[in-house]
C-alpha cells in the first residue's frame, strides 16, 4: 500500500486516527512504498482499519482502537530516486561498479601524479646509489635519499589505491633515466644533491596544488579531502626540512663540514 505524505497527514487529522508514525518518519517515507505495517495483538479486540482512496491514492489507516499502540515494523521498498541509479549499474565486467561522480579528467590527473611521484622516487634512488659508493662514502646522505625514494614510492602507491577506490584505472607511464653523477665543481656533491632534492619537492608540490585546484573546480570533494589530508601538509614540511639542510650545507663548505653534516644526518635518521 502506498502512504502518501500530503494525503496521509490531512486524512489522519480528519479521521482523528492515531497511527504511531512521527512527522519525520512520514516525511522520510514520501516517495517510498510501505508494503506492510504490523501492530501487536491486543487480546480479543482486533485492530480494525479504514481503507479508501484520496485523489487516486490508496490509503490504509489504523482505527481509533490502534491509537496508543506503536507500529512494530514497516517494510519499505526502494525509493523512487534509486531507480535511475539501478539503471546505471554497469553490466560489463570491464566497467567499475564503485565509480561514482569520478570524472575522466580526475582519473587522468591522478595517473599523471602517480608518474610524478615515481619519477621523483627514481631520482632519489639514483642519488642513494651515488652517495653509497666507496669513493664517496657519505652514508648519511645515502640513507636519507634511500628513505626519500621509498617515501615517494609509497605516495605513488597511495595514489594507485585511491584510483582503484574511486573506480578509475591505473595507467603507468615511462620515466626518464635519472643522472648517475651528482658532483658539482663549485657546490660539491652534497650541496648540489640537496638543492636538487629541494627543487624536486617544490615541483612535486606545484603538481599537487594544480591537482587540488582542478579537483576544486570540478567539485570533487573526495579528491580534495584526500589531497589535503594525505599530501599537502607533508609536502610543505618536506620543503621546510630540505631548505634548512641547504642553508646548513652552504655554511659548512665542501670539506670536513660535509663529513660532519653527514654524521649528523645519519644520527638523526637513526633516531627517527
Amino acid at each position: 500500500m502506498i502512504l502518501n505524505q500530503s494525503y496521509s497527514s490531512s486524512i489522519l487529522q480528519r479521521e482523528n486516527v492515531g497511527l504511531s508514525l512521527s512527522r519525520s518518519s512520514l516525511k522520510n517515507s514520501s516517495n517510498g512504498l510501505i508494503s506492510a505495517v504490523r501492530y501487536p495483538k491486543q487480546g480479543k479486540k482486533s485492530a480494525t482499519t479504514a481503507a479508501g482512496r484520496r485523489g487516486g491514492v490508496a490509503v490504509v489507516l489504523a482505527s481509533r482502537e490502534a491509537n496508543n499502540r506503536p507500529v512494530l515494523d514497516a517494510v519499505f521498498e526502494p525509493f523512487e530516486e534509486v531507480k535511475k541509479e539501478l539503471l546505471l549499474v554497469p553490466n560489463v565486467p570491464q566497467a567499475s561498479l564503485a565509480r561514482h561522480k569520478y570524472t575522466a579528467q580526475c582519473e587522468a590527473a591522478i595517473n599523471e601524479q602517480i608518474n610524478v611521484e615515481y619519477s621523483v622516487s627514481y631520482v632519489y634512488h639514483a642519488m642513494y646509489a651515488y652517495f653509497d659508493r666507496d669513493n664517496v662514502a657519505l652514508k648519511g646522505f645515502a640513507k636519507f635519499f634511500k628513505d626519500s625514494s621509498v617515501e615517494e614510492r609509497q605516495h605513488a602507491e597511495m595514489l594507485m589505491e585511491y584510483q582503484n577506490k574511486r573506480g578509475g584505472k591505473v595507467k603507468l607511464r615511462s620515466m626518464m633515466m635519472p643522472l648517475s653523477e651528482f658532483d658539482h665543481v663549485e657546490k660539491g656533491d652534497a650541496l648540489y644533491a640537496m638543492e636538487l632534492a629541494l627543487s624536486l619537492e617544490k615541483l612535486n608540490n606545484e603538481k599537487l596544488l594544480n591537482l587540488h585546484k582542478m579537483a576544486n573546480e570540478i567539485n570533487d570533494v573526495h579528491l580534495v579531502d584526500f589531497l589535503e589530508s594525505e599530501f599537502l601538509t607533508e609536502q610543505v614540511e618536506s620543503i621546510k626540512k630540505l631548505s634548512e639542510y641547504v642553508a646548513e650545507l652552504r655554511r659548512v663548505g665542501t670539506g670536513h663540514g660535509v663529513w660532519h653534516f653527514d654524521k649528523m644526518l645519519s644520527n638523526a635518521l637513526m633516531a627517527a
Side-chain angles (χ1 to χ4, degrees):
M1 55 190 171
I2 303 175
L3 180 61
N4 181 280
Q5 181 186 356
S6 59
Y7 287 116
S8 60
S9 57
S10 60
I11 295 170
L12 288 174
Q13 292 175 1
R14 191 185 310 121
E15 298 291 340
N16 192 26
V17 176
L19 183 63
S20 299
L21 288 174
S22 66
R23 284 187 178 272
S24 61
S25 62
L26 284 171
K27 182 179 179 180
N28 292 335
S29 65
S30 64
N31 296 328
L33 304 177
I34 297 182
S35 58
V37 176
R38 180 167 61 88
Y39 289 96
K41 295 180 180 179
Q42 188 179 18
K44 296 180 180 178
K45 291 184 178 182
S46 60
T48 59
T49 59
R53 281 193 168 271
R54 300 293 187 273
V57 179
V59 182
V60 178
L61 304 170
S63 70
R64 291 183 180 85
E65 295 183 18
N67 242 0
N68 296 317
R69 304 208 306 271
V71 176
L72 295 185
D73 54 31
V75 181
F76 288 86
E77 295 294 334
F79 292 105
E80 291 294 324
E81 291 85 349
V82 175
K83 290 183 178 179
K84 62 180 181 180
E85 295 294 339
L86 289 174
L87 296 175
L88 297 176
V89 175
N91 294 320
V92 293
Q94 296 85 1
S96 168
L97 297 172
R99 187 161 187 150
H100 186 239
K101 305 295 184 182
Y102 190 54
T103 65
Q105 186 177 355
C106 285
E107 181 181 4
I110 288 291
N111 281 330
E112 181 179 345
Q113 188 61 35
I114 291 172
N115 182 259
V116 170
E117 301 288 347
Y118 267 130
S119 296
V120 174
S121 174
Y122 204 25
V123 175
Y124 285 158
H125 219 180
M127 296 166 81
Y128 148 72
Y130 170 82
F131 286 103
D132 193 51
R133 292 180 190 173
D134 66 288
N135 59 328
V136 179
L138 291 174
K139 297 295 184 181
F141 279 85
K143 179 170 175 51
F144 174 78
F145 287 118
K146 184 177 183 180
D147 291 348
S148 298
S149 176
V150 171
E151 182 180 0
E152 298 302 326
R153 187 166 68 250
Q154 289 174 343
H155 288 170
E157 291 172 355
M158 287 172 61
L159 289 164
M160 293 170 74
E161 291 174 2
Y162 181 81
Q163 184 81 290
N164 288 335
K165 188 181 296 184
R166 292 296 302 274
K169 292 181 179 179
V170 174
K171 294 182 179 179
L172 300 179
R173 301 180 181 180
S174 299
M175 292 186 293
M176 294 291 292
M177 183 178 70
L179 299 173
S180 59
E181 303 297 323
F182 296 93
D183 200 6
H184 192 278
V185 176
E186 297 176 1
K187 300 177 180 180
D189 49 9
L191 176 57
Y192 175 69
M194 279 298 177
E195 287 182 347
L196 177 58
L198 175 59
S199 300
L200 287 171
E201 291 300 325
K202 287 184 176 181
L203 176 62
N204 198 359
N205 187 52
E206 183 180 354
K207 296 290 186 180
L208 287 167
L209 291 175
N210 289 338
L211 178 59
H212 182 270
K213 180 181 178 181
M214 183 271 297
N216 255 326
E217 292 173 350
I218 295 179
N219 197 29
D220 192 321
V221 181
H222 295 287
L223 181 53
V224 169
D225 177 69
F226 173 69
L227 293 172
E228 291 177 349
S229 59
E230 300 292 343
F231 286 90
L232 296 185
T233 300
E234 183 179 342
Q235 199 63 32
V236 171
E237 293 172 350
S238 296
I239 291 173
K240 175 64 161 55
K241 179 179 66 176
L242 286 169
S243 298
E244 292 173 348
Y245 287 167
V246 168
E248 292 170 356
L249 285 167
R250 285 178 176 176
R251 286 191 171 94
V252 302
T254 59
H256 183 268
V258 170
W259 178 85
H260 184 75
F261 182 93
D262 181 75
K263 296 300 180 185
M264 179 202 71
L265 185 60
S266 181
N267 292 334
L269 292 173
M270 290 178 64

